[in-house]
Amino acid sequence: MLHNDNKKLEQLFELYSDLMLQHAYYILKDIPTSQDAVSEAFLRVIKIIEKINELDCPKTRKLMVIIVENISKNIYNRRKREALVDFTEIDFENESSLDDFYDIEVKQDMDNILKRLPIDYANILVLTSDGYSTKEIAEILDVNYENARKRLSRAKKSLKKLIEQYESRGRHDEV
């Protein structure tokens, strides 16, 4: 890693580590494991550091949150399989990774629609709209390429269906 990349990584850590820890803790309910998730997220960020141009912006904030949420969910699911955690301890309906995504009016409309999507679908659509390729998304989400491609396809179909339902009911009605 170049000196410039090291500096960028340090700045990302200063800007987002606390936020990432909060999101990880929300899922894992355990500080040491949440800290591990944040560390693992930064290891994943190292692989894509050259793609991050602007550090203190909503796009980068979303990226960092999505990465740590995905890692935290993987850790949670692994612990669940090992029977260490009760499933009722977590709420996967956390939509905070979608903050600052659209301007106010569009954001309200999109929030009504995106709330209806599974968080995995919403996250992959956010990453796609932020310009990440399917290959990069697979790496960020730590899934194979085919899984990312299929998830994106399903997310687009679900989104299209929800938009059609939303439009048929009128702009300001809940889906």
Side-chain angles (χ1 to χ4, degrees), residues 84-160:
L84 296 177
V85 177
D86 181 9
F87 182 76
T88 60
E89 291 179 19
I90 188 165
D91 174 15
F92 284 117
E93 298 303 316
N94 178 7
E95 296 290 340
S96 63
S97 61
L98 300 174
D99 290 349
D100 305 318
F101 189 55
Y102 298 97
D103 64 38
I104 301 299
E105 188 174 327
V106 174
K107 184 179 184 326
Q108 289 172 348
D109 291 343
M110 287 307 296
D111 279 351
N112 286 336
I113 294 169
L114 291 174
K115 281 182 209 172
R116 306 288 298 192
L117 285 174
I119 190 72
D120 289 341
Y121 288 179
N123 284 344
I124 204 162
L125 290 171
V126 167
L127 290 171
T128 301
S129 71
D130 284 347
Y132 291 96
S133 70
T134 307
K135 181 180 176 187
E136 291 166 328
I137 292 170
E139 190 172 295
I140 290 167
L141 299 178
D142 195 28
V143 297
N144 67 43
Y145 174 81
E146 197 55 38
N147 185 308
R149 191 183 68 71
K150 192 66 173 172
R151 192 180 294 179
L152 179 58
S153 172
R154 289 177 181 156
K156 286 178 182 178
K157 285 179 185 174
S158 294
L159 181 62
K160 182 180 178 184

